[in-house]
Amino acid sequence: MSKESKIHPFFSILFFNFFAFLHAHTALQTYIVQLHPHGTTRPLFSSKSRWHLSFLKRTVSSEEHHSSRLLYSYSSAMEGFAAMLSESEMESLQKLPDVVAIRPDMRFQVQTTYSYKFLGLSPTREDAWYKSGFGRGVIIGVLDTGVWPESPSFNDQGMPPVPKKWRGICQEGQDFNSSNCNRKLIGARFFTKGHRMASTSASPENVQEYASPRDSHGHGTHTTSTAGGVSVPMASVLGLGSGVARGMAPGAHVAMYKVCWFSGCYSSDILAAMDVAIRDGVDVLSLSLGGFPLPLFADTIAIGSFRAMEHGISVVCAAGNNGPIQNSVANEAPWIATIGASTLDRRFPAFVQLDNGQFLNGESMYPGNRLSSTTKELELVYVTGGDNGSEFCFRGSLPREKVLGKMVVCDRGVNGRTEKGLAVKESGGAAMILANTAINLQEDSVDVHVLPATSIGFNEAVRLKAYLNSTSKPQARIVYGGTVIGKSRAPAVAQFSARGPSYSNPSILKPDVIAPGVNIIAAWPQNLGPSSLPEDTRRTNFTVMSGTSMACPHVSGIAALIRSAHPKWTPAAVKSAIMTTADVTDHSGHPIMDGDKPAGVFAIGAGHVNPERALSPGLIYDIRPDDYVTHLCTLRYTRSDIFAITHRNVSCNDLLQMNRGFSLNYPSISIIFKHGTRSKMIKRHVTNVGSPNSIYSVEVAAPEGVKVRVRPQRLIFKHINQSLSYKVWFISRKKAGRGEVDFAQGHLTWVHSQHGLYKVRSPISVTWK
């Protein structure tokens, strides 16, 4: 989700007498305790759960029974458990044999139609949808805020039977029973224990939180339908953006693992959901949640996803919404597909016409936005001064006598965008102009406001405020333009999309790719209005949201299409196909833009997803789980750090001796020159998944300041699934200044001899430190 909240104030819950219990245990905190999977004390117990409880029995000193402290037992995503402990109990537990690591519970946040057409998918011609059977037979597991099962996007008419391998359940709970699942939504579970322990107060009273898989916030319903929603004709947001709504893999099955609540998403609950999802039999895991970059050995999502990858599950995660700050990309483990956000070429124009004749470009999804409709001319007011945040339009900050019947200018930031409109409406204002600040520049996330409103970019905001200062009685009207497609350059990088280089692992280029994440229309629950405000009484089956949360399920759905077409491919092969076929030009044939400049590799990774080409990539870069372990050794992680991530007890000295000059077989290339190093050599191997008797020739665009040499320059494949290797030498022609960091980028592409039938492209990032 976008940084400001369409992620709502988040949410309300019925955990009965729980908070009284919590008050009595204020000294306790949730910890995740990781154990050795082949611990020396394990054989002494008849079950893993009894083994896990034995650790608590030896450390819990209070009079209560030690079992009341246990929250979860983990066995698939990690060996260990989550429990409530005091600091002294945690320190005692740390000294026991078989304890690998203890981590405090962490809070993550969710990162938040037409997009299938924009990506070149069509049900009327033989394209990626037909080649993959629309994703049939594949199961996408989504970790999010829950699901609204009655949404038409989860209708199972025409869906095949539930796959025989499925071992999941439809967990019953508040307003949710087993009949809410079907052949589309084949499973649903909820995980509350970590959240309940961490939440020191009940949720907001004006939103009902369901103690079940049911979604009361909309985010999970939206992301799940984006990944795998069925076709819904005549879908719109109160008449705007109308058309047929479809997920990326409309033939795939989906399962919801509800881990996010009003206060966020806790790592103990996330790990419990991943633990169960691995056993349930999902093929793809989609996580539109995250936080800030973490070392891999401290990152619960990285640890759980390593185990998922070992089980053949593709894990797709949002890159985060902390862009355009450098090093802000999250979920950066090399076995995760990390997804940034891009724009579509669909707009909802809503111009501001000033009474001096000027027009300011804006956008809005207020339901009054019909072609050629206008609001009446109103007096403009921008309430500033004081310290109550009136320029941001906080609720209660706008004096009624100043805004009654007027069009109010509100600066973007701090509080939610739709909440500003509600504040204006509550104070008697008639309309709103939401003005971007220097932080947001021209970024244009739209909303379904509760009053006539439009959002304008920073350049327009500067002009608007100059006009306000130039006249004693400023006046304006909003001129609506409906829905417009194809008139703007796209895709472009969303400004909020998190950027590389990776903070903890710069030797891997992140994000991997970008996908549509701005103004995405998808399914919405019936307990919430389309603005997501509790006070919004309107109801609709669809609404618009923005964020890397929305980009992530696009790629999860595309991964499902590839898994359906190529069921034996590894998660690394699926990710390679998505990365090496990505576009670096927009629909006009020009470079993808990032604001007013061409996008760099730290913004787009390998490029913008192209599902049609991803289904038939020609060559793939495959990676075995063992290779990731060797890669962790090259990062100089300790033996215990590597064990915490992989459950493998390895000697890095031995591994690196056996794999001299090792470089991970990643589809992108990241070279770092430091300490005066002038040359680097990397090795890659590619597997032919195109046609037999194929010849590929290399094309290189060398990064500035670097000489690149590739051997061999041709790869001749005789058979399908044959692998060949090549080496690349990078020779630096310059040095970084003392204390400076410098970057350059290029690309390496293997081109098929038959008129470029396949083009297998790897971006190159070079850093001097």
Side-chain angles (χ1 to χ4, degrees):
M1 288 257 1
S2 181
K3 282 175 283 197
E4 311 152 53
S5 145
K6 175 92 172 249
I7 311 178
H8 345 331
F10 258 85
F11 321 124
S12 122
I13 265 198
L14 314 137
F15 290 134
F16 315 116
N17 298 320
F18 183 75
F19 296 106
F21 168 87
L22 188 65
H23 182 71
H25 294 76
T26 49
L28 301 184
Q29 183 184 346
T30 303
Y31 290 93
I32 297 172
V33 181
Q34 186 171 5
L35 303 176
H36 195 297
H38 309 295
T40 55
T41 58
R42 169 68 184 90
L44 304 175
F45 299 91
S46 59
S47 69
K48 281 194 176 182
S49 59
R50 290 189 176 182
W51 181 41
H52 295 172
L53 280 169
S54 73
F55 290 90
L56 293 176
K57 191 173 185 179
R58 294 166 69 180
T59 49
V60 171
S61 52
S62 66
E63 295 177 4
E64 70 195 285
H65 197 273
H66 58 274
S67 62
S68 67
R69 298 282 199 90
L70 182 71
L71 301 183
Y72 294 110
S73 278
Y74 308 122
S75 60
S76 298
M78 189 185 82
E79 185 62 61
F81 59 89
M84 294 293 290
L85 300 168
S86 67
E87 190 171 348
S88 61
E89 289 168 346
M90 181 272 291
E91 290 169 353
S92 298
L93 190 59
Q94 229 161 7
K95 298 170 185 173
L96 295 181
D98 298 335
V99 173
V100 173
I102 301 179
R103 303 176 190 89
D105 208 1
M106 290 187 62
R107 185 173 69 173
F108 296 86
Q109 295 289 359
V110 291
Q111 303 289 329
T112 263
T113 119
Y114 163 73
S115 55
Y116 67 87
K117 287 184 183 175
F118 182 75
L119 291 171
L121 294 169
S122 168
T124 59
R125 58 187 175 87
E126 292 191 14
D127 67 353
W129 267 348
Y130 275 93
K131 293 171 191 168
S132 66
F134 294 83
R136 283 177 178 246
V138 176
I139 302 167
I140 305 171
V142 181
L143 273 65
D144 216 300
T145 66
V147 66
W148 194 264
E150 294 83 5
S151 166
S153 292
F154 307 122
N155 187 311
D156 69 350
Q157 187 172 354
M159 284 293 297
V162 176
K164 290 180 180 177
K165 68 171 185 173
W166 177 243
R167 296 181 294 279
I169 63 168
C170 199
Q171 185 179 358
E172 299 197 341
Q174 184 186 2
D175 290 347
F176 199 99
N177 58 49
S178 58
S179 66
N180 286 123
C181 293
N182 57 23
R183 295 191 307 276
K184 165 55 75 175
L185 178 65
I186 62 173
R189 298 178 186 260
F190 65 106
F191 302 83
T192 66
K193 294 174 183 176
H195 157 75
R196 294 194 312 187
M197 293 295 168
S199 302
T200 54
S201 62
S203 59
E205 295 176 4
N206 52 4
V207 181
Q208 182 183 26
E209 180 82 90
Y210 298 97
S212 74
R214 185 172 290 280
D215 185 6
S216 61
H217 316 308
H219 191 272
T221 300
H222 199 280
T223 57
T224 306
S225 69
T226 300
V230 299
S231 297
V232 182
M234 296 186 295
S236 73
V237 183
L238 302 176
L240 284 166
S242 59
V244 179
R246 287 186 180 91
M248 289 295 101
H253 307 278
V254 295
M256 170 52 63
Y257 298 86
K258 182 177 176 179
V259 297
C260 297
W261 306 83
F262 73 85
S263 60
C265 328
Y266 286 87
S267 53
S268 56
D269 295 330
I270 293 167
L271 194 60
M274 296 179 86
D275 198 62
V276 171
I278 291 169
R279 295 195 295 273
D280 282 351
V282 302
D283 300 296
V284 178
L285 272 175
S286 186
L287 287 80
S288 287
L289 45 91
F292 290 90
L294 289 169
L296 300 181
F297 55 81
D299 186 343
T300 309
I301 293 175
I303 293 168
S305 60
F306 186 89
R307 211 75 67 250
M309 173 273 301
E310 286 187 303
H311 283 83
I313 299 167
S314 292
V315 182
V316 184
C317 294
N321 295 338
N322 294 312
I325 301 166
Q326 270 201 342
N327 304 111
S328 57
V329 64
N331 295 318
E332 52 199 326
W335 46 87
I336 289 173
T338 310
I339 315 303
S342 65
T343 62
L344 300 172
D345 63 356
R346 177 179 57 193
R347 295 284 184 267
F348 304 97
F351 307 97
V352 178
Q353 183 182 2
L354 306 177
D355 76 345
N356 66 1
Q358 281 191 72
F359 277 86
L360 305 178
N361 290 327
E363 284 198 76
S364 178
M365 287 196 76
Y366 175 68
N369 185 349
R370 301 286 186 275
L371 195 58
S372 299
S373 69
T374 61
T375 61
K376 66 180 181 180
E377 193 165 80
L378 298 168
E379 185 178 344
L380 271 173
V381 61
Y382 178 44
V383 184
T384 59
D387 56 2
N388 62 354
S390 57
E391 69 271 28
F392 292 109
C393 299
F394 292 140
R395 293 175 76 176
S397 71
L398 300 170
R400 191 172 184 83
E401 65 275 11
K402 288 188 178 182
V403 303
L404 184 64
K406 297 175 184 176
M407 185 179 296
V408 183
V409 178
C410 300
D411 283 341
R412 189 168 161 186
V414 190
N415 54 335
R417 299 187 301 266
T418 54
E419 188 183 321
K420 296 173 190 289
L422 180 64
V424 172
K425 186 176 182 180
E426 287 176 338
S427 298
M432 177 181 71
I433 298 174
L434 183 59
N436 276 11
T437 64
I439 294 171
N440 308 106
L441 295 177
Q442 297 303 108
E443 195 253 300
D444 57 351
S445 299
V446 301
D447 301 284
V448 191
H449 289 287
V450 295
L451 83 172
T454 187
S455 302
I456 61 174
F458 178 58
N459 295 342
E460 289 76 15
V462 170
R463 289 169 58 199
L464 173 65
K465 288 171 185 176
Y467 165 72
L468 287 169
N469 291 330
S470 71
T471 177
S472 59
K473 196 175 181 185
Q475 291 194 308
R477 59 163 46 99
I478 299 173
V479 181
Y480 292 114
T483 304
V484 175
I485 290 175
K487 301 287 189 188
S488 52
R489 280 184 62 176
V493 180
Q495 192 192 350
F496 57 74
S497 187
R499 312 301 164 94
S502 168
Y503 182 76
S504 66
N505 185 6
S507 62
I508 298 296
L509 178 59
K510 291 284 182 171
D512 290 308
V513 291
I514 58 173
V518 177
N519 302 336
I520 304 302
I521 294 174
W524 195 244
Q526 285 293 298
N527 68 320
L528 264 183
S531 68
S532 78
L533 294 169
E535 296 82 359
D536 188 354
T537 57
R538 300 169 298 177
R539 293 295 179 262
T540 176
N541 282 320
F542 296 89
T543 200
V544 65
M545 297 183 89
S546 295
T548 53
S549 276
M550 284 62 251
C552 169
H554 279 88
V555 178
S556 303
I558 292 167
L561 298 180
I562 299 170
R563 295 290 296 252
S564 184
H566 306 286
K568 293 184 179 178
W569 281 13
T570 64
V574 172
K575 182 162 74 165
S576 171
I578 291 169
M579 291 176 65
T580 61
T581 59
D583 294 324
V584 292
T585 55
D586 61 25
H587 285 191
S588 69
H590 296 99
I592 290 172
M593 298 297 286
D594 181 6
D596 57 2
K597 64 184 187 299
V601 291
F602 297 136
I604 64 172
H608 192 267
V609 286
N610 182 326
E612 183 69 37
R613 290 186 59 213
L615 238 69
S616 186
L619 305 175
I620 54 168
Y621 292 84
D622 211 351
I623 304 174
R624 299 169 304 135
D626 289 351
D627 299 330
Y628 291 118
V629 179
T630 308
H631 172 70
L632 294 174
C633 285
T634 68
L635 301 181
R636 301 192 175 182
Y637 277 16
T638 65
R639 183 185 286 230
S640 61
D641 289 340
I642 292 173
F643 188 86
I645 298 166
T646 67
H647 276 184
R648 297 173 188 222
N649 197 3
V650 297
S651 163
C652 280
N653 279 339
D654 293 348
L655 263 184
L656 294 176
Q657 285 285 338
M658 290 163 48
N659 295 276
R660 286 183 178 276
F662 175 86
S663 52
L664 188 66
N665 197 44
Y666 212 71
S668 57
I669 299 169
S670 180
I671 300 297
I672 301 172
F673 292 116
K674 56 184 175 182
H675 309 309
T677 308
R678 300 301 295 269
S679 66
K680 287 264 184 173
M681 186 275 286
I682 64 152
K683 185 177 180 180
R684 294 285 192 269
H685 56 269
V686 285
T687 303
N688 179 28
V689 294
S691 47
N693 302 312
S694 291
I695 300 173
Y696 287 82
S697 301
V698 73
E699 294 180 359
V700 177
E704 187 178 348
V706 180
K707 181 181 178 182
V708 180
R709 192 158 56 93
V710 183
R711 294 290 183 273
Q713 295 196 318
R714 287 206 314 167
L715 297 175
I716 301 171
F717 294 94
K718 294 183 178 179
H719 313 292
I720 300 284
N721 295 324
Q722 180 184 355
S723 292
L724 294 173
S725 63
Y726 66 93
K727 293 179 179 178
V728 190
W729 286 263
F730 296 88
I731 299 99
S732 172
R733 300 179 186 273
K734 66 174 185 177
K735 291 181 180 178
R738 186 177 296 276
E740 292 179 3
V741 178
D742 202 4
F743 302 101
Q745 64 183 52
H747 60 85
L748 180 155
T749 308
W750 290 101
V751 182
H752 194 278
S753 59
Q754 288 185 342
H755 313 295
L757 175 66
Y758 300 108
K759 290 186 177 180
V760 186
R761 185 183 183 281
S762 293
I764 300 170
S765 161
V766 177
T767 304
W768 289 266
K769 288 189 175 181

